[in-house]
Every structure is written in C-alpha cells, then in structure tokens.
Amino acid sequence: MGFLLPNLLGFLIFTAGPVLFSLAVSFSNWNLERTVPFAWTGFENFIDLMHSQDFWLYFINTAYLMIGMPLSIFGSLMLAILLNQKLKGIVVFRTLFYLPSFTSGVALMILWKALYNPDFGPINMLINTISHDLGGSIHVAPAWLLSTKNVLGLRVESVGITIRQWGLGARDALVIMGIWTAIGGNNMLLYLAALTNVPPELTEAAEIDGASKWSLFRHVTWPQLAPTTFFIVVMSFIGGLQGGFDQARVMTDGGPAGTTTTLAYQIYTKAFEQFQVGYASAISWVLFSIILVITLINWRIGSKDLNY
Amino acid sequence: MKKFFIFTFFFLIVLSVVAWKIQPPPNPPGKTELTWVSDDNPARRGQIALFNKLYPKDILKLDPDNSGMEKVIVQSLAGVGPDLFDCYDGFQLSAYVKSGIAWDVTDQLKKMGINVKKQVWPCIFPDLMLDGRIYGVGTNVSVNAIWINKKLFDEDHVPYPKGPWTWKQFIPIAEKMTKRDSTGRIVQYGLLCDWYNWPQFIMQWGGSIYSPDGTRCTLDSPQCIAAIQFMHDLIYKYHVMPSPVEQAAATAGGWGSGTISFFAADKGAMALGGRWWLCTLRQNSVPMDLGVVPCPFGPKHVYLGYGKATLINKNSPKRYEALNFLKFEASKAYSNLICHQADGFGPIKAYIHDPIVLHDPAYPQENYNQVWINVMKYAQPEQISPFVNGNTVTIIINKQMDLIQGNEKSVPDALRTATRQINEEIQKTIAIDPTLRMRYEKLTGRTVN
C-alpha cells in the first residue's frame, strides 16, 4: 500500500478529484462571473441541453467528423499490409508513413489550411486545372474551410437535410484531413504488430492447401486481426466523439456558421469564453454518457465475433 | 543499444549545461519585475524599453503567449496571473471586473493627478470605465479611414479621392479601381475591408446594436439591415470588395497579416483601416506610396473609435508598482512614442496637437497625419450591453454574419435571427444575475419573474 500511495494520491488529486468535481458542478449554475450567485440547480443544465438546438447541431457535427473512420481504419490496414513486406529500406517507409503522428498537430493543421486555400491552395489549383483541361470552368473547386456545404446536405441552422447544402465544405475538409492523419498513425502500427503476430504455420498450411492471396487474407489473416480491429474501432469511436477541438481552434474557429463546432469545442467555449462552467460540465457528462453507451454497444456486438 | 543510451544521456547533460549557461540573468537587486500580457506587436519592444528607461526601479517584461481573456482570468484567479493585461473592449472590461481581477484605480489615478474623464479620448471609455469607476488610462486609440494605394491610382490616371465624401460617392471610384483578368476573375479590388468593421457601418446608418439602455438588441432595425445590406452589396452587387472566399488568401492569421498584407501586395486600391496599419506597411519590402482620406460616411457622419486599455491585476502583489505603467501611459513621452511607432495615437487627447504627430522627421513621406487628427473628432465608442455576455453575442452574430457573407441567408433574416437569439440571452442572463435583474427592472420598469 505504501508503495502505491504516491501514485494513488496523484490519481485521486489530479484525475478522480477533478472528474467528480465536474460531476458536482454540472448540477450547479457555477459561473466564473462572480455576480451570479452560486446555486445548486439539479438537472436544469441537462434539461436545457436537451432542449438546445445548438447542442444537437454540434453533436451532428461531431458525428459527421467521424464518417471518415471506416475509411481510415481500412487505409491503416492496407498500409500495414504493404509495410509488412520484407523489402529493402522498409523501416524508412514505416517511419515516413508514421511521420504525421509525431509531427505537431498544430503545424499539420496550418499546413492543411494552406492546402485548402480556395484561391492558391494546391488542392483547388489541381481541381481547377483538371476541370479546365476537360473543357469546363476554371472556378469549380469548392471553398473548403469557408463553405457550409457538406456531402450529406445537412442544414446549417436546424437538424435536417436540404439539397441546397449539398457539396464539399469545411466539415468534409476536416474529414479528409482526419483520414490522412489517421491512416499512417497508431492504427497502422497496431495492425503492423498484429500482422507480425499471425502464426506463420497457419499461412503456410493455407498456402500448401492452395489458398489464393485473397482467401489467405479473408480466412486466415483477417480473423487473426479481429481483436486488433475491435480495439481500433472502440478507440476510434471514443477519440472521434471527443475530437474536433484542435481543428476548430486552429483552422476554423468553429465556423463557418458553427459547422465545425463539435461538442468538445462547445465545452471549451461555454466554460472559458462564456464562463458557464456548470453548463459546460453538463455537456462533458452527456458526452461521457454517449461515449459509454456507444462503447458498451461496440463491446456487446464486437466481442461476439471475437474467436481469437 | 547500450552505447546509444549512454550517448543520449551525455548529450542531454550537455544540452542542460548549455541551457543553464544561456538562461537570462536574474533581475538586479531592488528592481521589481512586472509582467505585461499583450499582443506581439513589434511596437511593444520600444514601449517597454522606454518604460524601463523612465522607471529604472522596475523591469517590464512582455508575455504575448497568455493574451486570451479566458487565460488571463483563469490564471489571475489561480494566483499566477500577470501584473498588467490588455483589455480590448467593454465586454472584456465587464468580464474582468465581474470576475474580480481588474483593479479599480479611480482613487489612485486621482492621487496621481490623472483625470481620465477629461483627458482621455472618450472612444476608449468602454475599455476602461464601468459604472463610473475607472480601471485604466488607455494604451492607444484609433479610428478607421481609407488608405489609398497611390501607385494603383496613378497607373489608371484616376485622381485620388478627397474627403469628406459619402459611400454613394465612393462606389463609382471603387468600381473604376476594380480590375479583372481575362477569365473575369478580380485581381484588384476597389476596397479591402474586414467584415468585422460592421459596427461602424451600423453606426453610420443610424442604427445601434442595442437600445440606448442596453436592455434590448436592435440589430433587426431598418437602419441596421440597410447598413449590413450595403456591406453585402459591396461584395455581391458592386463587386468592389472581396467575398470571404476571395479574401481567403489574405487570412493567413497572426499579428499584422490578413487584409493589411493583401493591401501591401497591391490587391486593393483602397482599404478601410486604422493608422496602426503603418506598423506593418512601413515594413513592406517595397515602400508603398500611401495616402489617407476620411472614411466615407452614410446617413450619419460618425466613425467607430476603438483602442485598448491596460489594466492592473487586482490579485497581483505588485499592483502598486504597476501603477507606474498607468502613469507612463498618461505621459507625453509615451504618446509621442505611440505616434512615432504609428500604433494609433496615445490615450491623452491634448498630446495629439504636438508637432511631432503632424510631421515625424523620421517619416517625412507620411504627410497625411492631419487626416488622422481630423477624423479622431468623429470617433464614437462602440456600444455594449451589460445584460449579456459579449462572447455569446459574438458567437451568435458571427454565425449569422458568416451566412450573410457567404450569400447563404438574406440580411433581414439573418439579423432577425441574431436579434431574437441575443434578446433570449439577455432574458437568460437577468434571470440568473440578481444585480443585473434589478438594474434591468429599474431601466425598463418591468418586473422579471
């Protein structure tokens, strides 16, 4: 016990304490402006939250930024398979692909902001050049971070879909950037580790039995990767629901028109810009509940198929 | 591997020794170190150097990394805040006062012989005065005028505009100075104007953000709608001002960038901005041939005055020493330095008549300072409401302004939405804040349940 005490005390003071404190605060009207007298308000913050259109819009934004998740997981797997080959200089390739993970996130975001520049960004220059070469207009590229449009046609100020909003905009820009960052990240490393752990006798036996490359992957490798995939999916959901703060802070300020404001960013603005700490704590706990429920569902569904 | 770790260990030791060797020397004994949280404008270096020279018992240091209002409040409440910090508007002052970190220096200034109400430019009163109490002297003041890129006018043989003039008179000149390439794309705009200047347009059209007592948002008034519609028309009807997408190239961020850099790159013949733009324009690699004319006016001949004040942290143990900085701000030496640096004007009205303001020998080509002096007379302070959190209002308005700028929502619809949401926020605030509720009831004569 004496050996554990320093660590335990640290955990209680710096982790468990603030977490429980935020739970208590979520039932109060605590405001950093001292003219508002402190009062316990019960579930008032939570009720307000459920009736707030902004909360639901920002929840949708949060979920929207996660739509690239399957693609990034698939990309990580493909990349891991490629980097699992016994090639000369493969370590260099592995390092290069992992580079986005240990590069400063803010630096990457500033770089992407420049890439998305509607006027001189390389992405739009390429799109406009291709369009021009095909005989079309040279001004067809999307406005990316300045546009409220999105591939699902989500409305800006209310929950719903409209054809007017269909297109590519800020949310899609963040999704694409997220996919790029995630493909070569920790998921790729996890898959790489899992691939090296696939028992060689299984693949050899399948090869001797004449299994094709696809059959080998489908019936031998993929099932062996199931626990890793399950872990990656669970962690991606958790990360996705907590995400969006850095991008909003660095690239968009949550705009245009609030379309890149996620729940994590709303917690920050409510607490530290609007000083409503009680309300912000309530959002945090609702977000925690959503994450918990989704993780439990993932666990229940995912663990059924885990045979290894 | 063992060798690698041993090498790393010794390498870290060497780095530590280097870091220890190059650390700044401790302050000489008897000197008080004051930390000033402010922006990273290069002009701050000169201001700090002059303060340290005039007040040898103090050492003023700049901390540009903690300049967010939320950071200042949280750090000051936690006892690790700065001694001095900047306040940019009335809402910030109200937040600093309400959170208990802005020091009321009314009595101290009186003892020092500084009469803020008489001596300081009224357009920065919202930044330093709340409910009759004074919290600072003012760091600088400014008002916008129209910058002219004379080279572009000369190339097209268009005579320079002269003030006073109206926005109606401005349009044909701006249209003449807007140029397109062979594909129809605009390569030079008649006017560059940051959208955040919208309060000035509202003021010039006779509108106001709030009712005079601040109890109600009035952004949906015909005057406000007409003002914002005019800004929208500058982009989409007259095509003389860049849309947000077109101006994205100018929004690189950081101090002194954005529209100023765009203007310096000859992308606009005219630009709405303050004298402080010179801090950047003077550093342009190719010296610009600049002129200044008063900003056109609308139905009302007024301009938005703005600036900032430096406040003292109430919780700072060095707050009495920090008073020296306010004394410094009220001095002629400080005002002259601000004028010389072109960081707007100093806070004291009387010093604007100093000969150095009109003709700075270091910058003889800047022969337009009389225009700045003249327009300062028309500078009006921005309007705030004590009944609502300014950041909440900013979020609401920015959202609607994004939609207007992007041509995705009509001006009347957007302003009606903003007005409704701000008024709802006012009602929410007075419901939880008893002091504000009493004040609201007194002003409106209505009882709030």
Side-chain angles (χ1 to χ4, degrees):
Chain A
M1 188 62 189
F3 186 68
L4 281 176
L5 201 59
N7 199 357
L8 193 66
L9 274 180
F11 171 76
L12 288 175
I13 294 169
F14 296 113
T15 307
V19 167
L20 292 175
F21 181 70
S22 78
L23 179 63
V25 166
S26 68
F27 295 105
S28 76
N29 70 345
W30 187 28
N31 193 306
L32 286 179
E33 291 184 329
R34 291 181 179 176
T35 51
V36 180
F38 180 87
W40 296 105
T41 52
F43 286 94
E44 203 174 285
N45 286 331
F46 294 92
I47 295 166
D48 282 355
L49 202 58
M50 291 300 131
H51 289 102
S52 159
Q53 179 148 275
D54 279 349
F55 172 79
W56 293 109
L57 288 173
Y58 300 151
F59 176 67
I60 289 170
N61 289 345
T62 310
Y64 191 97
L65 295 191
M66 291 165 66
I67 59 173
M69 214 174 75
L71 202 62
S72 65
I73 295 174
F74 176 75
S76 296
L77 175 61
M78 291 300 113
L79 191 61
I81 290 169
L82 284 174
L83 295 177
N84 196 35
Q85 310 301 311
K86 288 186 179 96
L87 293 173
K88 205 176 171 183
I90 196 74
V91 178
V92 176
F93 284 112
R94 285 178 184 177
T95 311
L96 283 177
F97 279 106
Y98 195 58
L99 211 58
S101 295
F102 56 81
T103 307
S104 154
V106 173
L108 286 179
M109 285 168 204
I110 291 171
L111 175 79
W112 272 90
K113 202 173 167 184
L115 290 176
Y116 281 130
N117 190 293
D119 196 23
F120 59 74
I123 296 174
N124 275 12
M125 283 169 84
L126 183 71
I127 294 173
N128 287 331
T129 307
I130 293 171
S131 163
H132 181 61
D133 290 348
L134 294 173
S137 162
I138 61 156
H139 304 305
V140 293
W144 294 117
L145 295 173
L146 298 163
S147 169
T148 58
K149 291 186 171 16
N150 57 91
V151 286
L152 297 182
L154 296 172
R155 287 178 189 277
V156 178
E157 294 190 276
S158 57
V159 179
I161 288 172
T162 169
I163 192 76
R164 274 188 61 203
Q165 282 300 114
W166 191 83
L168 286 170
R171 282 179 276 212
D172 308 290
L174 297 189
V175 168
I176 294 167
M177 187 187 77
I179 293 171
W180 177 83
T181 315
I183 281 181
N186 290 332
N187 295 349
M188 184 266 292
L189 273 194
L190 287 167
Y191 271 129
L192 203 54
L195 282 169
T196 53
N197 284 336
V198 175
E201 59 271 20
L202 290 182
T203 44
E204 278 167 22
E207 277 168 359
I208 291 165
D209 289 342
S212 65
K213 288 259 181 205
W214 168 245
S215 298
L216 191 70
F217 176 76
R218 172 72 187 84
H219 299 292
V220 178
T221 312
W222 178 241
Q224 291 288 325
L225 296 178
T228 307
T229 305
F230 175 61
F231 176 76
I232 288 173
V233 168
V234 170
M235 294 311 289
S236 298
F237 262 107
I238 294 173
L241 287 165
Q242 292 175 336
F245 175 82
D246 298 354
Q247 294 91 322
R249 189 79 179 145
V250 178
M251 298 174 78
T252 61
D253 275 335
T259 51
T260 57
T261 300
T262 59
L263 290 180
Y265 192 61
Q266 195 198 11
I267 291 169
Y268 170 79
T269 53
K270 279 285 175 194
F272 298 110
E273 289 185 355
Q274 300 176 47
F275 309 129
Q276 298 169 24
V277 185
Y279 190 84
S281 300
I283 306 173
S284 308
W285 278 90
V286 170
L287 179 60
F288 166 75
S289 309
I290 295 168
I291 292 172
L292 184 68
V293 168
I294 289 177
T295 307
L296 287 175
I297 293 169
N298 267 333
W299 199 265
R300 203 166 173 85
I301 296 170
S303 58
K304 270 186 194 169
D305 297 327
L306 287 181
N307 303 314
Y308 297 94
Chain B
M1 194 53 98
K2 197 178 165 186
K3 279 181 187 167
F4 173 74
F5 281 118
I6 291 170
F7 172 77
T8 309
F9 177 69
F10 281 105
F11 183 63
L12 288 174
I13 287 178
V14 171
L15 284 184
S16 305
V17 170
V18 171
W20 180 70
K21 276 279 180 196
I22 62 172
Q23 67 179 335
N27 294 328
K31 289 212 172 196
T32 307
E33 182 177 317
L34 298 170
T35 307
W36 179 21
V37 162
S38 184
D39 55 55
D40 202 15
N41 183 332
R44 299 289 163 264
R45 315 278 183 276
Q47 292 157 17
I48 288 171
L50 182 64
F51 176 83
N52 288 340
K53 192 179 153 195
L54 295 176
Y55 296 86
K57 284 187 178 172
D58 298 327
I59 292 185
L60 183 63
K61 289 187 175 171
L62 182 72
D63 175 10
D65 299 325
N66 290 299
S67 57
M69 186 180 72
E70 60 276 14
K71 277 189 186 174
V72 170
I73 289 178
V74 172
Q75 289 176 358
S76 299
L77 288 176
V80 290
D83 305 301
L84 295 149
F85 53 91
D86 288 349
C87 170
Y88 290 85
D89 56 45
F91 160 66
Q92 285 199 356
L93 177 67
S94 158
Y96 287 134
V97 172
K98 283 181 183 176
S99 55
I101 67 157
W103 190 28
D104 178 349
V105 290
T106 315
D107 299 333
Q108 277 74 19
L109 290 178
K110 209 172 175 183
K111 277 182 207 161
M112 285 153 63
I114 301 169
N115 187 338
V116 169
K117 285 180 188 169
K118 271 192 178 170
Q119 293 174 271
V120 173
W121 290 101
C123 64
I124 51 163
F125 281 178
D127 305 357
L128 52 89
M129 212 186 286
L130 188 70
D131 296 333
R133 305 303 294 175
I134 299 165
Y135 296 86
V137 171
T139 312
N140 59 5
V141 293
S142 197
V143 65
N144 286 341
I146 296 287
W147 284 103
I148 291 171
N149 186 334
K150 285 183 173 176
K151 185 183 89 178
L152 301 181
F153 277 82
D154 291 344
E155 279 172 5
D156 290 345
H157 308 290
V158 176
Y160 310 137
K162 283 180 190 154
W165 53 334
T166 64
W167 283 106
K168 204 175 168 185
Q169 291 166 320
F170 167 88
I171 297 293
I173 300 171
E175 282 175 331
K176 222 180 268 179
M177 295 308 299
T178 302
K179 286 182 181 173
R180 293 168 189 273
D181 64 12
S182 55
T183 67
R185 184 173 138 166
I186 299 175
V187 290
Q188 178 188 299
Y189 291 91
L191 175 70
L192 299 177
C193 168
D194 285 306
W195 190 271
Y196 61 68
N197 287 307
W198 62 266
Q200 169 157 316
F201 285 81
I202 282 184
M203 209 177 248
Q204 292 189 323
W205 261 254
S208 63
I209 305 170
Y210 301 102
S211 56
D213 57 8
T215 58
R216 198 167 38 87
C217 174
T218 53
L219 268 177
D220 58 352
S221 67
Q223 293 88 345
C224 291
I225 291 172
I228 303 298
Q229 186 64 55
F230 178 75
M231 283 190 85
H232 180 270
D233 289 348
L234 286 174
I235 300 175
Y236 294 105
K237 185 178 168 186
Y238 304 114
H239 304 284
V240 296
M241 190 169 110
S243 70
V245 172
E246 290 161 334
Q247 202 169 352
T251 53
W255 193 90
S257 62
T259 306
I260 308 176
S261 308
F262 212 44
F263 181 64
D266 293 340
K267 296 285 183 187
M270 294 178 278
L272 183 68
R275 185 170 182 263
W276 54 273
W277 278 35
L278 276 175
C279 297
T280 302
L281 296 177
R282 278 177 184 170
Q283 292 167 8
N284 208 35
S285 52
V286 183
M288 293 181 78
D289 190 6
L290 295 166
V292 178
V293 284
C295 177
F297 51 87
K300 282 182 88 175
H301 193 166
V302 287
Y303 306 125
L304 179 72
Y306 55 91
K308 66 175 181 176
T310 303
L311 314 183
I312 297 176
N313 182 357
K314 194 178 172 185
N315 304 323
S316 164
K318 292 175 272 185
R319 60 185 180 279
Y320 284 96
E321 287 87 342
L323 282 170
N324 280 341
F325 190 77
L326 303 192
K327 207 170 162 185
F328 171 61
E329 285 182 324
S331 69
K332 192 176 179 183
Y334 174 78
S335 268
N336 285 352
L337 177 67
I338 293 284
C339 282
H340 173 71
Q341 292 177 320
D343 192 19
F345 290 111
I348 306 294
K349 283 186 287 185
Y351 298 145
I352 204 168
H353 301 298
D354 195 275
I356 199 156
V357 178
L358 204 55
H359 298 293
D360 188 337
Y363 301 101
Q365 73 281 15
E366 292 170 9
N367 54 2
Y368 38 73
N369 284 327
Q370 187 62 51
V371 178
W372 293 114
I373 295 168
N374 292 346
V375 292
M376 276 304 296
K377 281 187 287 193
Y378 298 96
Q380 298 285 315
E382 65 160 335
Q383 199 191 9
I384 64 153
S385 165
F387 299 104
V388 65
N389 178 299
N391 276 336
T392 307
V393 170
T394 305
I395 290 171
I396 291 170
I397 293 179
N398 283 353
K399 194 169 178 173
Q400 298 305 320
M401 290 296 179
D402 279 351
L403 295 170
I404 292 172
Q405 273 183 284
N407 209 17
E408 294 180 43
K409 196 171 181 181
S410 74
V411 175
D413 281 354
L415 293 188
R416 271 180 217 123
T417 307
T419 305
R420 179 177 50 78
Q421 291 177 347
I422 293 168
N423 282 331
E424 282 171 8
E425 285 298 327
I426 288 175
Q427 293 307 313
K428 275 188 210 168
T429 311
I430 57 171
I432 59 167
D433 189 326
T435 317
L436 286 180
R437 186 163 60 241
M438 276 170 59
R439 195 166 160 183
Y440 180 91
E441 287 177 342
K442 204 174 163 189
L443 285 167
T444 59
R446 287 201 306 266
T447 309
V448 179
N449 295 318

